[in-house]
Amino acid sequence: PRAGARADLVWLPATGGALHPVMPLHGLGQPHFRQDPERVFVFQHVEPDPAARSGLVSVRMDGSDLRVHARGELFADEWPGAERGGPMNAPLISPDGKHLLLQRQRQLWLADLPATDAPANLSLSDASLRPVGGPGGEFPAWTADGRSIGFSLGRSIFRYELATGKLQESVV
């Protein structure tokens, strides 16, 4: 949305009907799901108190039970290996909830999430923040089993295997 424009997350029954509000989106947001279809995940930056609810959050489909899953230096201007510029975008939680995929200036990063309900506090100095191999990427997505990440760059489509770190490229 345009700067200052209000955007709301809503759902619509597949059979049609009325829109059902879930929550207002502040700042960034890329709604996505993991194995629990009753929760929706979004990246949210709330002003004026970003510490209150900023980061990767989830809510039930009725807008209740807000949970923070990750926060920290997600808007840092200097990510490892990147030139200065805009914020991180496209944070995607893995289907099993164990990892977080981050994108920053066409570079992809992977962070491990704790097994507890406490939110992960990500930092540029965190050893669990590591680059996903390759020359960069756009339009990242998890495979349904959460074992691989798919992304594209130009005419190439990549698949990154988490277990092995192997990167496979297909040119279309």
PDB file of all heavy atoms in Angstrom, residues 123-149:
ATOM      1  N   SER A 123      19.583 -10.693  15.561  1.00  0.00           N
ATOM      2  CA  SER A 123      20.606  -9.662  15.575  1.00  0.00           C
ATOM      3  C   SER A 123      21.581  -9.952  14.453  1.00  0.00           C
ATOM      4  O   SER A 123      21.774 -11.102  14.072  1.00  0.00           O
ATOM      5  CB  SER A 123      21.315  -9.677  16.926  1.00  0.00           C
ATOM      6  OG  SER A 123      22.560  -9.063  16.852  1.00  0.00           O
ATOM      7  N   LEU A 124      22.195  -8.897  13.931  1.00  0.00           N
ATOM      8  CA  LEU A 124      23.175  -9.087  12.872  1.00  0.00           C
ATOM      9  C   LEU A 124      24.374  -9.903  13.327  1.00  0.00           C
ATOM     10  O   LEU A 124      25.044 -10.533  12.539  1.00  0.00           O
ATOM     11  CB  LEU A 124      23.642  -7.734  12.346  1.00  0.00           C
ATOM     12  CG  LEU A 124      22.555  -6.895  11.693  1.00  0.00           C
ATOM     13  CD1 LEU A 124      23.128  -5.575  11.223  1.00  0.00           C
ATOM     14  CD2 LEU A 124      21.922  -7.623  10.543  1.00  0.00           C
ATOM     15  N   SER A 125      24.632  -9.894  14.633  1.00  0.00           N
ATOM     16  CA  SER A 125      25.766 -10.651  15.154  1.00  0.00           C
ATOM     17  C   SER A 125      25.386 -12.083  15.516  1.00  0.00           C
ATOM     18  O   SER A 125      26.232 -12.862  15.934  1.00  0.00           O
ATOM     19  CB  SER A 125      26.341  -9.944  16.385  1.00  0.00           C
ATOM     20  OG  SER A 125      25.360  -9.880  17.398  1.00  0.00           O
ATOM     21  N   ASP A 126      24.128 -12.455  15.358  1.00  0.00           N
ATOM     22  CA  ASP A 126      23.650 -13.782  15.720  1.00  0.00           C
ATOM     23  C   ASP A 126      24.231 -14.826  14.766  1.00  0.00           C
ATOM     24  O   ASP A 126      24.110 -14.720  13.546  1.00  0.00           O
ATOM     25  CB  ASP A 126      22.122 -13.795  15.648  1.00  0.00           C
ATOM     26  CG  ASP A 126      21.513 -15.054  16.235  1.00  0.00           C
ATOM     27  OD1 ASP A 126      22.222 -16.066  16.360  1.00  0.00           O
ATOM     28  OD2 ASP A 126      20.331 -15.007  16.568  1.00  0.00           O
ATOM     29  N   ALA A 127      24.863 -15.835  15.316  1.00  0.00           N
ATOM     30  CA  ALA A 127      25.480 -16.886  14.500  1.00  0.00           C
ATOM     31  C   ALA A 127      24.442 -17.698  13.739  1.00  0.00           C
ATOM     32  O   ALA A 127      24.762 -18.330  12.738  1.00  0.00           O
ATOM     33  CB  ALA A 127      26.317 -17.805  15.377  1.00  0.00           C
ATOM     34  N   SER A 128      23.190 -17.702  14.199  1.00  0.00           N
ATOM     35  CA  SER A 128      22.181 -18.500  13.504  1.00  0.00           C
ATOM     36  C   SER A 128      21.670 -17.799  12.245  1.00  0.00           C
ATOM     37  O   SER A 128      20.982 -18.413  11.448  1.00  0.00           O
ATOM     38  CB  SER A 128      21.003 -18.811  14.434  1.00  0.00           C
ATOM     39  OG  SER A 128      20.196 -17.677  14.620  1.00  0.00           O
ATOM     40  N   LEU A 129      22.013 -16.541  12.040  1.00  0.00           N
ATOM     41  CA  LEU A 129      21.635 -15.825  10.817  1.00  0.00           C
ATOM     42  C   LEU A 129      22.700 -16.128   9.768  1.00  0.00           C
ATOM     43  O   LEU A 129      23.855 -15.753   9.911  1.00  0.00           O
ATOM     44  CB  LEU A 129      21.543 -14.324  11.085  1.00  0.00           C
ATOM     45  CG  LEU A 129      21.055 -13.454   9.940  1.00  0.00           C
ATOM     46  CD1 LEU A 129      19.607 -13.799   9.594  1.00  0.00           C
ATOM     47  CD2 LEU A 129      21.159 -11.993  10.304  1.00  0.00           C
ATOM     48  N   ARG A 130      22.313 -16.864   8.742  1.00  0.00           N
ATOM     49  CA  ARG A 130      23.294 -17.280   7.737  1.00  0.00           C
ATOM     50  C   ARG A 130      22.728 -17.081   6.333  1.00  0.00           C
ATOM     51  O   ARG A 130      21.522 -17.162   6.131  1.00  0.00           O
ATOM     52  CB  ARG A 130      23.699 -18.721   7.966  1.00  0.00           C
ATOM     53  CG  ARG A 130      22.558 -19.702   7.940  1.00  0.00           C
ATOM     54  CD  ARG A 130      22.960 -21.041   8.571  1.00  0.00           C
ATOM     55  NE  ARG A 130      21.896 -22.004   8.518  1.00  0.00           N
ATOM     56  CZ  ARG A 130      20.873 -22.058   9.373  1.00  0.00           C
ATOM     57  NH1 ARG A 130      20.795 -21.185  10.351  1.00  0.00           N
ATOM     58  NH2 ARG A 130      19.943 -22.981   9.266  1.00  0.00           N
ATOM     59  N   PRO A 131      23.599 -16.826   5.364  1.00  0.00           N
ATOM     60  CA  PRO A 131      23.124 -16.603   3.999  1.00  0.00           C
ATOM     61  C   PRO A 131      22.666 -17.895   3.343  1.00  0.00           C
ATOM     62  O   PRO A 131      23.205 -18.962   3.601  1.00  0.00           O
ATOM     63  CB  PRO A 131      24.343 -16.031   3.281  1.00  0.00           C
ATOM     64  CG  PRO A 131      25.506 -16.526   4.059  1.00  0.00           C
ATOM     65  CD  PRO A 131      25.042 -16.681   5.487  1.00  0.00           C
ATOM     66  N   VAL A 132      21.662 -17.775   2.499  1.00  0.00           N
ATOM     67  CA  VAL A 132      21.245 -18.877   1.634  1.00  0.00           C
ATOM     68  C   VAL A 132      22.129 -18.773   0.401  1.00  0.00           C
ATOM     69  O   VAL A 132      22.278 -17.692  -0.165  1.00  0.00           O
ATOM     70  CB  VAL A 132      19.750 -18.757   1.263  1.00  0.00           C
ATOM     71  CG1 VAL A 132      19.366 -19.778   0.201  1.00  0.00           C
ATOM     72  CG2 VAL A 132      18.891 -18.909   2.502  1.00  0.00           C
ATOM     73  N   GLY A 133      22.738 -19.861  -0.019  1.00  0.00           N
ATOM     74  CA  GLY A 133      23.702 -19.847  -1.109  1.00  0.00           C
ATOM     75  C   GLY A 133      23.159 -19.248  -2.394  1.00  0.00           C
ATOM     76  O   GLY A 133      21.960 -19.170  -2.607  1.00  0.00           O
ATOM     77  N   GLY A 134      24.064 -18.801  -3.213  1.00  0.00           N
ATOM     78  CA  GLY A 134      23.686 -18.291  -4.519  1.00  0.00           C
ATOM     79  C   GLY A 134      23.948 -16.814  -4.676  1.00  0.00           C
ATOM     80  O   GLY A 134      24.370 -16.136  -3.747  1.00  0.00           O
ATOM     81  N   PRO A 135      23.680 -16.311  -5.864  1.00  0.00           N
ATOM     82  CA  PRO A 135      23.976 -14.919  -6.185  1.00  0.00           C
ATOM     83  C   PRO A 135      22.911 -13.938  -5.692  1.00  0.00           C
ATOM     84  O   PRO A 135      22.990 -12.758  -5.978  1.00  0.00           O
ATOM     85  CB  PRO A 135      24.023 -14.937  -7.713  1.00  0.00           C
ATOM     86  CG  PRO A 135      23.037 -16.008  -8.081  1.00  0.00           C
ATOM     87  CD  PRO A 135      23.185 -17.063  -7.001  1.00  0.00           C
ATOM     88  N   GLY A 136      21.941 -14.409  -4.978  1.00  0.00           N
ATOM     89  CA  GLY A 136      20.823 -13.576  -4.538  1.00  0.00           C
ATOM     90  C   GLY A 136      19.535 -14.196  -5.024  1.00  0.00           C
ATOM     91  O   GLY A 136      19.548 -15.253  -5.657  1.00  0.00           O
ATOM     92  N   GLY A 137      18.417 -13.572  -4.717  1.00  0.00           N
ATOM     93  CA  GLY A 137      17.166 -14.151  -5.156  1.00  0.00           C
ATOM     94  C   GLY A 137      15.977 -13.275  -4.877  1.00  0.00           C
ATOM     95  O   GLY A 137      16.047 -12.337  -4.086  1.00  0.00           O
ATOM     96  N   GLU A 138      14.901 -13.584  -5.558  1.00  0.00           N
ATOM     97  CA  GLU A 138      13.635 -12.877  -5.393  1.00  0.00           C
ATOM     98  C   GLU A 138      12.523 -13.908  -5.288  1.00  0.00           C
ATOM     99  O   GLU A 138      12.678 -15.060  -5.676  1.00  0.00           O
ATOM    100  CB  GLU A 138      13.373 -11.965  -6.589  1.00  0.00           C
ATOM    101  CG  GLU A 138      14.427 -10.884  -6.764  1.00  0.00           C
ATOM    102  CD  GLU A 138      14.135 -10.032  -7.973  1.00  0.00           C
ATOM    103  OE1 GLU A 138      14.141 -10.571  -9.097  1.00  0.00           O
ATOM    104  OE2 GLU A 138      13.906  -8.833  -7.785  1.00  0.00           O
ATOM    105  N   PHE A 139      11.397 -13.479  -4.774  1.00  0.00           N
ATOM    106  CA  PHE A 139      10.194 -14.300  -4.667  1.00  0.00           C
ATOM    107  C   PHE A 139      10.448 -15.624  -3.936  1.00  0.00           C
ATOM    108  O   PHE A 139      10.089 -16.694  -4.424  1.00  0.00           O
ATOM    109  CB  PHE A 139       9.576 -14.548  -6.044  1.00  0.00           C
ATOM    110  CG  PHE A 139       9.465 -13.304  -6.871  1.00  0.00           C
ATOM    111  CD1 PHE A 139      10.287 -13.088  -7.958  1.00  0.00           C
ATOM    112  CD2 PHE A 139       8.545 -12.320  -6.526  1.00  0.00           C
ATOM    113  CE1 PHE A 139      10.200 -11.935  -8.711  1.00  0.00           C
ATOM    114  CE2 PHE A 139       8.451 -11.159  -7.270  1.00  0.00           C
ATOM    115  CZ  PHE A 139       9.275 -10.963  -8.372  1.00  0.00           C
ATOM    116  N   PRO A 140      11.067 -15.574  -2.755  1.00  0.00           N
ATOM    117  CA  PRO A 140      11.361 -16.815  -2.036  1.00  0.00           C
ATOM    118  C   PRO A 140      10.095 -17.477  -1.506  1.00  0.00           C
ATOM    119  O   PRO A 140       9.112 -16.797  -1.205  1.00  0.00           O
ATOM    120  CB  PRO A 140      12.254 -16.348  -0.886  1.00  0.00           C
ATOM    121  CG  PRO A 140      11.838 -14.938  -0.639  1.00  0.00           C
ATOM    122  CD  PRO A 140      11.479 -14.390  -1.997  1.00  0.00           C
ATOM    123  N   ALA A 141      10.157 -18.792  -1.391  1.00  0.00           N
ATOM    124  CA  ALA A 141       9.037 -19.564  -0.843  1.00  0.00           C
ATOM    125  C   ALA A 141       9.570 -20.873  -0.286  1.00  0.00           C
ATOM    126  O   ALA A 141      10.554 -21.423  -0.787  1.00  0.00           O
ATOM    127  CB  ALA A 141       8.000 -19.845  -1.924  1.00  0.00           C
ATOM    128  N   TRP A 142       8.921 -21.351   0.760  1.00  0.00           N
ATOM    129  CA  TRP A 142       9.250 -22.649   1.341  1.00  0.00           C
ATOM    130  C   TRP A 142       8.545 -23.754   0.562  1.00  0.00           C
ATOM    131  O   TRP A 142       7.441 -23.563   0.055  1.00  0.00           O
ATOM    132  CB  TRP A 142       8.763 -22.722   2.787  1.00  0.00           C
ATOM    133  CG  TRP A 142       9.542 -21.881   3.736  1.00  0.00           C
ATOM    134  CD1 TRP A 142       9.217 -20.630   4.176  1.00  0.00           C
ATOM    135  CD2 TRP A 142      10.773 -22.225   4.356  1.00  0.00           C
ATOM    136  NE1 TRP A 142      10.184 -20.181   5.033  1.00  0.00           N
ATOM    137  CE2 TRP A 142      11.150 -21.136   5.176  1.00  0.00           C
ATOM    138  CE3 TRP A 142      11.591 -23.343   4.311  1.00  0.00           C
ATOM    139  CZ2 TRP A 142      12.307 -21.142   5.928  1.00  0.00           C
ATOM    140  CZ3 TRP A 142      12.754 -23.347   5.069  1.00  0.00           C
ATOM    141  CH2 TRP A 142      13.103 -22.256   5.863  1.00  0.00           C
ATOM    142  N   THR A 143       9.172 -24.925   0.484  1.00  0.00           N
ATOM    143  CA  THR A 143       8.447 -26.088  -0.011  1.00  0.00           C
ATOM    144  C   THR A 143       7.472 -26.512   1.081  1.00  0.00           C
ATOM    145  O   THR A 143       7.616 -26.139   2.248  1.00  0.00           O
ATOM    146  CB  THR A 143       9.410 -27.248  -0.340  1.00  0.00           C
ATOM    147  OG1 THR A 143      10.181 -27.562   0.821  1.00  0.00           O
ATOM    148  CG2 THR A 143      10.324 -26.890  -1.504  1.00  0.00           C
ATOM    149  N   ALA A 144       6.468 -27.290   0.739  1.00  0.00           N
ATOM    150  CA  ALA A 144       5.423 -27.678   1.693  1.00  0.00           C
ATOM    151  C   ALA A 144       5.987 -28.432   2.896  1.00  0.00           C
ATOM    152  O   ALA A 144       5.478 -28.290   4.006  1.00  0.00           O
ATOM    153  CB  ALA A 144       4.360 -28.521   0.998  1.00  0.00           C
ATOM    154  N   ASP A 145       7.054 -29.206   2.695  1.00  0.00           N
ATOM    155  CA  ASP A 145       7.638 -29.953   3.809  1.00  0.00           C
ATOM    156  C   ASP A 145       8.658 -29.147   4.604  1.00  0.00           C
ATOM    157  O   ASP A 145       9.171 -29.610   5.623  1.00  0.00           O
ATOM    158  CB  ASP A 145       8.264 -31.261   3.320  1.00  0.00           C
ATOM    159  CG  ASP A 145       9.427 -31.053   2.356  1.00  0.00           C
ATOM    160  OD1 ASP A 145       9.893 -29.900   2.170  1.00  0.00           O
ATOM    161  OD2 ASP A 145       9.876 -32.062   1.770  1.00  0.00           O
ATOM    162  N   GLY A 146       8.992 -27.935   4.153  1.00  0.00           N
ATOM    163  CA  GLY A 146       9.919 -27.069   4.866  1.00  0.00           C
ATOM    164  C   GLY A 146      11.374 -27.490   4.774  1.00  0.00           C
ATOM    165  O   GLY A 146      12.226 -26.940   5.464  1.00  0.00           O
ATOM    166  N   ARG A 147      11.691 -28.422   3.903  1.00  0.00           N
ATOM    167  CA  ARG A 147      13.072 -28.897   3.780  1.00  0.00           C
ATOM    168  C   ARG A 147      13.876 -28.127   2.742  1.00  0.00           C
ATOM    169  O   ARG A 147      15.091 -28.249   2.680  1.00  0.00           O
ATOM    170  CB  ARG A 147      13.088 -30.376   3.424  1.00  0.00           C
ATOM    171  CG  ARG A 147      12.512 -31.248   4.509  1.00  0.00           C
ATOM    172  CD  ARG A 147      12.550 -32.689   4.111  1.00  0.00           C
ATOM    173  NE  ARG A 147      11.905 -33.517   5.112  1.00  0.00           N
ATOM    174  CZ  ARG A 147      11.628 -34.777   4.952  1.00  0.00           C
ATOM    175  NH1 ARG A 147      11.950 -35.385   3.830  1.00  0.00           N
ATOM    176  NH2 ARG A 147      11.023 -35.443   5.913  1.00  0.00           N
ATOM    177  N   SER A 148      13.192 -27.347   1.910  1.00  0.00           N
ATOM    178  CA  SER A 148      13.857 -26.607   0.836  1.00  0.00           C
ATOM    179  C   SER A 148      13.228 -25.228   0.692  1.00  0.00           C
ATOM    180  O   SER A 148      12.094 -24.995   1.109  1.00  0.00           O
ATOM    181  CB  SER A 148      13.718 -27.338  -0.504  1.00  0.00           C
ATOM    182  OG  SER A 148      14.261 -28.624  -0.441  1.00  0.00           O
ATOM    183  N   ILE A 149      14.009 -24.358   0.058  1.00  0.00           N
ATOM    184  CA  ILE A 149      13.548 -23.013  -0.268  1.00  0.00           C
ATOM    185  C   ILE A 149      13.656 -22.856  -1.773  1.00  0.00           C
ATOM    186  O   ILE A 149      14.676 -23.222  -2.368  1.00  0.00           O
ATOM    187  CB  ILE A 149      14.421 -21.950   0.419  1.00  0.00           C
ATOM    188  CG1 ILE A 149      14.345 -22.094   1.940  1.00  0.00           C
ATOM    189  CG2 ILE A 149      14.020 -20.549  -0.019  1.00  0.00           C
ATOM    190  CD1 ILE A 149      15.431 -21.349   2.675  1.00  0.00           C
TER     191      ILE A 149
END
